[in-house]
Amino acid sequence: MTELEKKVLDLIDEDEVIAFLQALIRARSDYPPGDTRKICQICLDKLHSCGIDAGIFTPPQQIKNPKDQYSSDLYPSVIGTIKGTGNGPVLLLNAHIDTVPAGDLSQWDHDPFGGELSDGMIYGRGAGDDKGSVCAQIMAATMIKRANIPLKGTLLINPVSDEEANSCRGAKWLRDEGILKPDLAIIGEQTDNTIAVAERAVVFLRITIHGRACHGAMPWEGSNATIHMADLIHALNTQLLPEVQQIKHKYLPSTTLSATHIYGGHQVNVIPETCTLEIDCRLVPGVSEGYILRSLDDILCRLSEHGQRFQYEIEVTNSENGVVTDTDPGHPLIQAMTTSLEEVTGRPAELTGYKQASDGRVFAKLGIPIAIFGPGDPGLGHSPNEGIPVRQLLDATKALALSIVRILA
């Protein structure tokens, strides 16, 4: 480790890191509504306090989320910039500042918005998902600035809104407007301080089948859309899913095609003329969105031709065109993070894949190398008594600071 690197690590103060995460947890940003205005100001103040150029970016009103009708004014994000000299890369640190709700408060042993410190753990909604990563990224960047590390590239720090509500008012808007155009990205998510180099593509589908209604006492006179949908679900699970699960990835679970939401019919004595199914698809590299759509179309065609005929529609309700995160473990970004994490912890760094979904899928569309990394047990995210070990938070902050130096300095 160089003297420059030691200088950065020596500036990291445990009490400051803990206090900052506590402040982030106490600034409620749970969705709905996911209002990030207060927490944005906290992040902005921290960046400004050490001289980092930073501003707040709020999407225009025409940016709507189909999930809700909330005003875009509620969803600002922060971008801090440390600009170096030369032609070095632009490295993005991105982590989301919104959270899911706390849920049933009786299930919590600690105030979900208290940021309580107990037995080496900091508790609260978002402690791991994802305010722990926000804290580690911002604190790492402030140490780089305080140490006056000369950079050959540019560091962007992006506490971002709206991730829990589909990212359209956060990372997607910032990407599509060209406000964020990184060459490399570290996406903060709870990975237990392992380095995730891959993430499955997320595709949400809605299938509607149109049959023919009739009296429930004479079902042969109609075409039961719910029965047809049941046949589709059976074919999905016995034909298509086993086929695509033959395609494996070293770091990822298999492709999943989960029938998650079904609704149809009007009342008990009427054969349903329509039935709608929503499917959550998580696709490994090698399984394309187009292939899934064509396969479902083929299955529905066969079902209609060989039974009571029906009409159907297939709609993609959420997609990044099937783009996946799949970074070469030998890339300098991953190598820098691996060596940094090993020197901080004294243990071999583990490479893995990210099982949930992150804003990595948003920036993967740019075709850039991406790592997903942050403190916190992913099994505790979205659950009561969410918490994060202080030791892991500090390790993540140090590993990120070292990685920045090795990539940009």
Side-chain angles (χ1 to χ4, degrees), residues 89-109:
V90 177
L91 171 63
L92 170 67
L93 304 182
N94 163 283
H96 65 92
I97 46 181
D98 59 325
T99 74
V100 297
D104 183 356
L105 300 185
S106 69
Q107 299 297 310
W108 286 79
D109 298 325

Side-chain angles (χ1 to χ4, degrees), residues 307-327:
Q308 289 179 309
R309 297 190 66 84
F310 58 83
Q311 301 297 314
Y312 61 88
E313 299 151 8
I314 304 174
E315 178 186 2
V316 178
T317 59
N318 180 44
S319 168
E320 286 297 317
N321 298 319
V323 175
V324 297
T325 299
D326 194 18
T327 305

Side-chain angles (χ1 to χ4, degrees), residues 191-196 334-352 373 392 395 399:
T191 66
D192 250 348
N193 280 1
T194 61
I195 302 167
I334 307 303
Q335 291 299 301
M337 294 184 67
T338 299
T339 57
S340 298
L341 187 60
E342 289 177 344
E343 290 183 35
V344 166
T345 65
R347 301 185 303 273
E350 180 184 350
L351 298 185
T352 186
F373 170 82
Q392 205 174 69
D395 285 348

